Amino acid sequence: MTMPFWQSVRFKIVFGFLLMTAPMVLFLIYNNVYATKVVREQISLHYNNLMEQQVVNNDAILRETMRYLYRMQGDPDIQSLQELSLAEDDSDYTMVKMELTRRFLLDTGYYNKVDTFFVYSRKDDDMFFSTQYSFHFAEVQSALQAYTTELASKDLPEETQRWERFSIPNDTNYLIKTVDLGSGVYIGALVQIDQLNEVLSKFDVGPDGAAFVVDPAGNPLTNSPLPVVQETIVHKDIVEMTKQGRTKWNQNHFLVITQPSAISDIHYMIVIPETYILKNLPYFQKMLYIWIPLIVAIVLSLYLLFLQRVMFKPLVALVRGMRKLGQGQLGVRMPAETSNSEFAFMSGTFNQMAEQIEKLKIDVYEEQLRVQKAEYKHLQIQINPHFYMNSLNIIYNLAALKDYKLVQKMSLHLADYFRFVMLGHRTRVSLEDELRHIEHYLEIQKIRYVTKLEYEIRVMPEHMAVQLSPLLLQPFVENAVIHGFSKKPQNGQPFRIFIHSEQDAEEPERFLRMSIQDNGPGFPEAFLEGLQSGTYAEGEGEQHLGIWNILRRFTMLYGTEGGISFNNGAAGGAIVRLRLPISGPAQQDDSAYKREGG
């Protein structure tokens, strides 16, 4: 049947795409976004580089000033000051002070960022200084007097290479560095933070931008006007960036750049409005923030409504149907789609596929059941042929010794043992029957090893009726005898096997726990690691006829319910623990079921 072209999905998609006039819109958006991105990146990189270089220069000046202060330790005038006293020789002491003041005044011309050099003698409680700017002489003198008075009452903290913040009332903020020259003489320097910010303040940041210095809490330390810092969001970014140190464009479109000083507790900041950075792109800004989003929103809304009706709705229905089919709901069917020929064809095909999958899955499931049942029976009858030969040899030797009672006992145990093994048609037996079978096996081994083997079975009576796979526990006991007994050191102690049950701590109504434990050498480390990691069970049955058989049958019977774990005891010996699902009614009894051998 030929469908009309105007009903096809291809026509509808192409027609809707042409209505969008996408090429022009995409070009405008791309051109605008790309131009804005380039300008942002270049401005950010430019100002980052400028700031980083200026901060490095400022730190270099502060380091050089520190070196100057430390070099003064060997200066003759400083040594004279350390030796003289204001009370003993007023004239010489005064001459030294005048000489140092004159030198400091000259040196401030070289160290042009330094505002003030000062010297304090603790023994004379005398402080004098030299400053570049006389207009704030009184404020500096008062602040340094208070600083040195506090200095006289306590020792300087441990010497560091860092400058500390220093505030002078009715003045600006400073950085201060004080050096102990010995003999109670201290020398220090003050640097105005505004002087450190002088070069940054000349950067072109626009009328609403600012370059300034802040403390770790984001509080400005410079006296330049900072209208931009009053912006709440900008101030939050400043505080955040003093902790993290990075470049950021915040949601109010300010570029915020920070650079911490390496030798002082200050942060240099630059804040530039995006409008100033992009001032040469007004047309693109208007298109980016107003017209393009509006046009795109309207066109996309109409187009999405169109696609929702003709494509998304039937497509979602088809996807939901496929999901249900994948989850095993084979009865799901799609409604016939009449308005859209492609989806009508897909719905019909889906319904045919679902019917075929339903029929095929039923056939495959039945075949899997047959194969699994055959495999289970095959695994169940796999037993150790050496046990046959050893048992017959024991009977022969006992008959040769004319120990007919032991021959009779051995024959009865062997008959019961083989009778249990040959019942291959059973998929489940009670725990009581499995334990009785294990007792037959162990009694046969005791006839063979006499006083060298002992065993104990202690199982709670309410667990006896629990159903489990036949020969699920016996191979672990057989492995203990074969491997543990043969490798146990001959110390005069018998080889002992202990089998017991207990309530499951997590879900006692659903599971019980069985433990098979011996006092042999335990599992070898490499072998135990393979058991615990699960790699041992991935081998072929021909290579792992003992434990592999049990793990395989356990998975086939119980799936993910319960589990088997392998460990070595703290005092030695192998321990196998099984968490078995309780599949039958429990039998209650007041006393524990206990059987002992030996």
Side-chain angles (χ1 to χ4, degrees):
M1 177 179 177
T2 304
M3 72 179 78
F5 178 71
W6 55 271
Q7 287 186 350
S8 67
V9 175
R10 181 183 304 172
F11 171 80
K12 294 174 183 178
I13 293 178
V14 172
F15 181 76
F17 179 78
L18 292 176
L19 288 178
M20 292 183 65
T21 61
M24 182 61 69
V25 174
L26 291 175
F27 174 76
L28 290 175
I29 293 176
Y30 172 78
N31 190 45
N32 192 8
V33 171
Y34 180 76
T36 303
K37 179 181 178 182
V38 170
V39 172
R40 280 180 169 181
E41 290 178 350
Q42 292 301 316
I43 291 295
S44 299
L45 180 62
H46 174 70
Y47 279 98
N48 262 311
N49 292 337
L50 288 177
M51 172 177 278
E52 182 178 0
Q53 184 59 46
Q54 184 57 37
V55 172
V56 170
N57 291 341
N58 286 346
D59 286 349
I61 292 173
L62 294 176
R63 288 191 178 93
E64 181 59 33
T65 303
M66 280 193 293
R67 285 192 286 270
Y68 170 80
L69 297 177
Y70 283 110
R71 285 198 300 269
M72 292 297 293
Q73 191 167 14
D75 185 86
D77 291 328
I78 292 294
Q79 293 177 352
S80 298
L81 191 66
Q82 292 171 334
E83 296 170 357
L84 295 173
S85 174
L86 178 62
E88 295 175 357
D89 193 342
D90 185 43
S91 59
D92 291 343
Y93 186 86
T94 303
M95 288 297 296
V96 171
K97 288 173 54 176
M98 292 177 59
E99 177 61 25
L100 286 173
T101 302
R102 183 190 65 81
R103 183 187 303 178
F104 288 156
L105 190 60
L106 293 175
D107 289 343
T108 52
Y110 176 75
Y111 298 97
N112 56 357
K113 294 294 183 182
V114 177
D115 179 274
T116 301
F117 285 111
F118 67 92
V119 175
Y120 171 68
S121 174
R122 173 182 283 186
K123 63 183 178 179
D124 298 305
D125 192 21
D126 183 34
M127 185 275 301
F128 59 93
F129 66 95
S130 175
T131 181
Q132 291 193 62
Y133 309 105
S134 59
F135 64 86
H136 66 170
F137 185 91
E139 289 83 358
V140 172
Q141 183 180 32
S142 176
L144 288 178
Q145 286 288 359
Y147 176 77
T148 54
T149 299
E150 182 180 359
L151 188 66
S153 62
K154 61 181 182 179
D155 294 331
L156 276 178
E158 184 179 352
E159 287 288 340
T160 66
Q161 297 299 311
R162 298 188 64 81
W163 289 67
E164 307 296 331
R165 297 196 308 274
F166 186 73
S167 297
I168 297 180
N170 303 319
D171 200 349
T172 185
N173 291 293
Y174 292 82
L175 293 179
I176 187 170
K177 178 64 180 176
T178 305
V179 176
D180 185 359
L181 299 180
S183 300
V185 176
Y186 300 86
I187 186 171
L190 290 177
V191 175
Q192 286 190 11
I193 295 180
D194 278 338
Q195 286 293 316
L196 297 176
N197 191 51
E198 182 180 10
V199 176
L200 290 178
S201 64
K202 296 178 182 179
F203 286 2
D204 184 12
V205 295
D208 295 325
F212 50 96
V213 181
V214 297
D215 62 16
N219 301 313
L221 299 176
T222 49
N223 292 328
S224 56
L226 304 172
V228 70
V229 182
Q230 306 306 319
E231 295 281 351
T232 303
I233 297 179
V234 175
H235 188 265
K236 289 181 179 179
D237 285 338
I238 291 172
V239 175
E240 178 185 355
M241 293 174 65
T242 56
K243 301 174 182 178
Q244 301 179 8
R246 56 186 174 84
T247 301
K248 177 177 181 179
W249 288 89
N250 72 9
Q251 57 184 355
N252 270 12
H253 302 287
F254 285 92
L255 172 63
V256 184
I257 303 174
T258 183
Q259 180 72 31
S261 170
I263 60 173
S264 60
D265 198 13
I266 61 174
H267 296 257
Y268 297 84
M269 309 289 299
I270 293 179
V271 179
I272 312 174
E274 184 184 49
T275 53
Y276 182 74
I277 295 175
L278 303 178
K279 62 183 179 181
N280 294 325
L281 300 173
Y283 172 74
F284 291 106
Q285 285 288 298
K286 189 174 182 180
M287 287 292 295
L288 179 63
Y289 294 118
I290 300 177
W291 292 111
I292 291 180
L294 181 62
I295 294 173
V296 170
I298 294 174
V299 173
L300 284 181
S301 298
L302 295 175
Y303 192 62
L304 287 175
L305 289 174
F306 174 74
L307 289 179
Q308 174 68 21
R309 183 185 178 108
V310 302
M311 178 178 288
F312 293 160
K313 186 176 180 180
L315 186 60
V316 168
L318 182 61
V319 170
R320 287 176 178 172
M322 296 177 69
R323 185 179 293 113
K324 291 179 180 179
L325 187 63
Q327 294 172 351
Q329 302 179 28
L330 302 180
V332 63
R333 297 294 184 271
M334 297 292 298
E337 179 66 48
T338 57
S339 62
N340 193 312
S341 300
E342 283 88 347
F343 281 107
F345 174 76
M346 294 172 66
S347 298
T349 304
F350 174 84
N351 292 337
Q352 293 178 7
M353 180 181 65
E355 293 175 359
Q356 294 174 358
I357 291 176
E358 185 175 14
K359 183 177 182 302
L360 179 62
K361 188 168 184 179
I362 292 174
D363 294 341
V364 170
Y365 181 73
E366 291 176 348
E367 180 63 25
Q368 286 179 342
L369 287 178
R370 289 192 293 268
V371 172
Q372 187 175 11
K373 186 175 181 180
E375 181 183 4
Y376 181 81
K377 289 183 178 181
H378 174 68
L379 292 172
Q380 186 173 332
I381 64 173
Q382 287 181 342
I383 58 177
N384 190 347
H386 296 289
F387 181 70
Y388 288 111
M389 301 303 299
N390 291 334
S391 299
L392 292 177
N393 284 332
I394 292 172
I395 293 175
Y396 175 80
N397 291 329
L398 290 175
L401 295 173
K402 297 183 180 182
D403 193 345
Y404 300 120
K405 289 185 178 181
L406 281 181
V407 170
Q408 291 175 351
K409 183 179 179 181
M410 179 74 174
S411 300
L412 289 175
H413 284 304
L414 195 60
D416 289 336
Y417 177 87
F418 290 147
R419 183 180 297 109
F420 184 89
V421 171
M422 295 306 174
L423 293 177
H425 64 281
R426 296 185 300 178
T427 59
R428 293 192 179 199
V429 297
S430 67
L431 178 58
E432 184 176 13
D433 290 340
E434 178 77 4
L435 292 175
R436 187 177 295 110
H437 175 66
I438 291 174
E439 280 188 295
H440 291 312
Y441 172 79
L442 291 174
E443 285 297 329
I444 293 171
Q445 296 297 341
K446 279 183 61 62
I447 294 173
R448 179 181 180 185
Y449 296 113
V450 194
T451 60
K452 295 183 179 181
L453 174 65
E454 294 180 357
Y455 70 90
E456 179 181 353
I457 300 176
R458 190 186 300 270
V459 177
M460 301 178 69
E462 56 265 31
H463 294 160
M464 292 301 233
V466 172
Q467 300 294 304
L468 70 159
S469 173
L471 299 176
L472 187 64
L473 304 179
Q474 190 272 340
F476 289 124
V477 177
E478 184 174 350
N479 278 342
V481 173
I482 294 174
H483 300 290
F485 181 82
S486 62
K487 296 178 182 178
K488 182 181 181 298
Q490 298 300 320
N491 55 6
Q493 296 294 326
F495 182 74
R496 186 173 180 82
I497 297 176
F498 179 48
I499 304 170
H500 73 283
S501 72
E502 60 185 358
Q503 297 284 358
D504 184 71
E506 299 176 358
E507 298 179 273
E509 71 284 353
R510 292 188 57 205
F511 297 94
L512 68 90
R513 291 189 178 271
M514 290 292 302
S515 296
I516 302 171
Q517 181 175 349
D518 63 58
N519 63 344
F523 295 110
E525 289 299 327
F527 184 70
L528 180 61
E529 183 178 352
L531 289 174
Q532 292 176 340
S533 64
T535 56
Y536 181 85
E538 297 173 359
E540 296 295 332
E542 288 75 13
Q543 299 174 350
H544 305 274
L545 285 178
I547 296 177
W548 183 91
N549 187 320
I550 302 173
L551 296 176
R552 175 70 171 160
R553 287 195 291 124
F554 192 94
T555 302
M556 291 174 61
L557 184 60
Y558 300 115
T560 58
E561 294 289 319
I564 303 176
S565 63
F566 304 88
N567 298 97
N568 285 330
I575 303 175
V576 180
R577 294 186 176 92
L578 297 91
R579 190 171 187 244
L580 296 173
I582 298 176
S583 58
Q587 298 179 356
Q588 302 295 331
D589 196 347
D590 294 334
S591 61
Y593 172 84
K594 179 179 178 181
R595 302 184 185 182
E596 296 188 7

